[in-house]
């Protein structure tokens, strides 16, 4: 053998009668692990890019494309590795383990240290690491295949070897594609997930080190490298939580009192300077200092315009603030809250600090909580409501953007009573003017009348809402008649002014947002990107 040291013996071949040797089984198992690790690094890079840069479809598409291209480059480069295949495989496994395992942590720290406006340096680092890891991963499988062919040439024809290796490769990819969103990220987080699979790469290298110990010329050097890589990644596993805490404390700039990673989002609650704030994936959702302005403006114009709503549907708004305002109307008999993330309704229904913020609204006997996707729920149910409150996050990606499309609003229309009102929180008609009027056009495109209005919320600036209804809009002659008492922001004198738009927020031409293109996501990202 070209890369066997003098006097070294090859590893045992398959047994008599075609029996599979332990060495063969473990080498094929290594293919499974290598494939799983490679896909984890790809998914981690895509997830981080989506969390930190927004627009999940764009980020995942470009990350996957760059990663696959880099793997192709790595596979092509493998032809130049002719001697000492095992030694090369060992080194590549260690480099993949270190670069891929540390990639989420390095990107997270880089994003924290770079200014918020410095997206270009972060993107350069992101794609440089994706290309590097992709090239290294692309080198792995060709080398494994050549090593297997050399060791088991009498047992396998080339076609059988290729089929065997690719089968284990695809099985590894399937296993990790299921485990990544369901088990790994929710329980380990992105940083520890990367480090854990980095350690698996090192374990494969250590296994190869033992299996081929007789033919490695510098066994001790490779053993030392394995030990050092294990030490670095192990230290990373131990320090992952302090690192995450440091980075988030630096990013949010105030005391974090609660943090939780769910299959859907990163929930962070902070308290400082007399205010409690909720962040989802780094985006501010409310500040206790002024959230009453937002939620009063969101809920009461629709409730008051209807006059006597009994059945109310709240979509999103798992924090219970909108439900709190709905329950101010004594005539309400039932509130159905549809919130995707059960962690949100659990936290805001059980944590004493959060229950105080929403007035224990989620524990009211009038409230029914449903944890599911709002799009699917509307499609699968036929209940009709007097008022529907749509309180989704902004359309920062296509997963949320589908909830701002003609398809979604057509479903919404089917659940609205003939005299009912729906209200949709939109975005700022001042900062994201085109995006705001796109939502208005989208509601009108499904046959609903749309009445836009806005309110000033200090934490967000000028913020927009849209009333949707089937009849022509007619402002109540007496807002006071149906407006609940005890409000801190709205009053009969304030309400009419919300429907007046100054010239810099006046309507501009906008195409409806459709599920087939979701142009709103791109418009929103472009408009808000100009002020970051």
């Amino acid at each position: 053998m070209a890369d066997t040291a003098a006097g070294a013996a090859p590893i045992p071949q398959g047994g008599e009668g075609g029996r599979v040797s332990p060495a063969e089984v473990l080498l094929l198992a290594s293919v499974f692990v290598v494939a799983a690790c490679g896909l984890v690094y790809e998914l981690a890079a895509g997830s981080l890019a989506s969390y930190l840069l927004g627009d999940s479809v764009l980020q995942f598409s470009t990350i996957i494309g760059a990663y696959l291209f880099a793997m192709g480059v790595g596979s092509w480069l493998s032809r130049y590795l002719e001697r000492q295949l095992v030694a090369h495989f060992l080194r590549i496994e260690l480099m993949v383990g270190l670069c891929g395992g540390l990639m989420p942590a390095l990107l997270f720290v880089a994003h924290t240290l770079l200014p918020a406006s410095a997206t270009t340096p972060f993107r350069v680092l992101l794609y440089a690491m994706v290309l590097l890891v992709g090239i290294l991963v692309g080198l792995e499988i060709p080398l494994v295949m050549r090593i297997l062919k050399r060791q088991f040439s009498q047992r396998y024809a080339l076609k059988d070897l290729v089929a065997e290796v690719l089968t284990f490769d695809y099985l590894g990819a399937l296993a990790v594609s299921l485990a990544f969103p369901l088990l790994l990220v929710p329980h380990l987080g992105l940083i520890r997930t990367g480090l854990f699979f980095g350690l698996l790469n090192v374990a494969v290298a250590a296994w190869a080190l033992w299996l081929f110990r007789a033919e490695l010329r510098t066994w001790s050097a490779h053993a030392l490298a394995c030990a050092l890589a294990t030490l670095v990644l192990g230290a990373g596993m131990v320090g992952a939580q302090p690192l995450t805490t440091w980075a988030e404390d630096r990013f949010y700039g105030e005391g974090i009192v609660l943090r939780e990673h769910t299959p859907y989002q990163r929930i962070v609650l902070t308290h400082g300077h007399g205010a409690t704030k909720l962040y989802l994936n780094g985006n501010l959702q409310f500040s206790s200092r002024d959230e009453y302005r937002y939620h009063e403006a969101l809920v009461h114009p629709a409730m008051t315009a209807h006059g006597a709503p009994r059945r109310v549907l709240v979509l999103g708004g798992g924090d219970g603030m909108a439900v709190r305002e709905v329950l101010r109307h004594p005539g309400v008999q039932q509130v159905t809250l549809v919130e995707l993330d059960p962690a949100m309704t659990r936290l805001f229904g059980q944590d004493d600090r959060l229950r105080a913020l929403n007035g224990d609204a989620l524990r009211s006997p009038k409230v029914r909580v449903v944890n599911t996707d709002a799009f699917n729920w509307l499609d699968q149910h036929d209940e009709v409501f007097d008022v529907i409150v749509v309180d989704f996050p902004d359309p920062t990606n296509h997963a949320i953007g589908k909830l701002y499309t003609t398809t979604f609003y057509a479903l919404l229309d089917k659940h609205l009573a003939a005299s009912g009102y729906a209200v949709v929180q939109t975005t700022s008609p001042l900062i994201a003017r085109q995006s705001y009027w796109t939502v208005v056009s989208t509601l009108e495109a499904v046959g609903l009348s749309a009445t836009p209005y806005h309110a000033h919320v200090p934490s967000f600036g000028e913020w927009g809402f849209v009333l949707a209804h089937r009849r022509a809009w007619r402002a109540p002659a007496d807002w006071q008649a149906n407006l609940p008492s005890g409000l801190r922001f709205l009053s009969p004198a304030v309400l009419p002014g919300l429907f007046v738009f100054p010239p810099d927020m006046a309507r501009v031409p906008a195409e409806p947002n459709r599920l087939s293109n979701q142009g709103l996501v791109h418009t929103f990202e472009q408009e808000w990107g100009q002020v970051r």
Side-chain angles (χ1 to χ4, degrees), residues 17 117 131 199 227 233 263 275 301 310 322 361 384 392-393 419 437-438 446 489 515 530:
S117 59
L131 291 172
L199 285 169
L233 294 169
R310 295 183 178 183
V384 175
F392 295 133
S419 59
W437 292 106
T438 294
V446 300
F489 171 53
L515 192 60
Q530 295 174 357

Side-chain angles (χ1 to χ4, degrees), residues 306-341:
H306 184 280
R310 295 183 178 183
R311 293 170 54 82
V312 178
L313 173 65
V314 179
L315 302 176
D319 52 42
M321 307 293 192
V323 175
R324 178 195 66 200
E325 296 303 319
V326 169
L327 293 174
R328 288 181 183 272
H329 294 260
V332 171
Q333 296 176 355
Q334 184 187 68
V335 182
T336 301
L337 171 65
V338 180
E339 161 64 42
L340 176 62
D341 194 346

Side-chain angles (χ1 to χ4, degrees), residues 10 21 61 66 90 111 120 174 217 245 259 274 292 317 360 400 411:
S21 70
S61 179
L90 272 169
H111 184 266
T120 299
L174 172 64
R217 298 173 180 173
T245 301
R259 65 185 101 215
Y292 67 90
D360 228 3
I400 302 174
L411 286 174

Side-chain angles (χ1 to χ4, degrees), residues 435-475:
S435 299
Y436 176 81
W437 292 106
T438 294
V439 176
V440 175
S441 296
T442 305
L443 285 163
E444 292 174 340
V446 300
L448 290 166
S449 295
T451 303
Y453 66 101
H454 61 97
H456 183 73
V457 182
S459 292
F460 301 109
E462 206 64 39
W463 208 254
F465 309 85
V466 185
L467 285 173
H469 39 91
R470 293 203 178 99
R471 300 175 181 176
W473 169 251
R474 180 182 298 175

Side-chain angles (χ1 to χ4, degrees), residues 273-285:
H273 308 291
T276 299
K277 297 180 181 179
L278 172 69
Y279 295 86
L280 300 180
N281 292 338
N283 298 311
L284 178 65
Q285 302 302 302

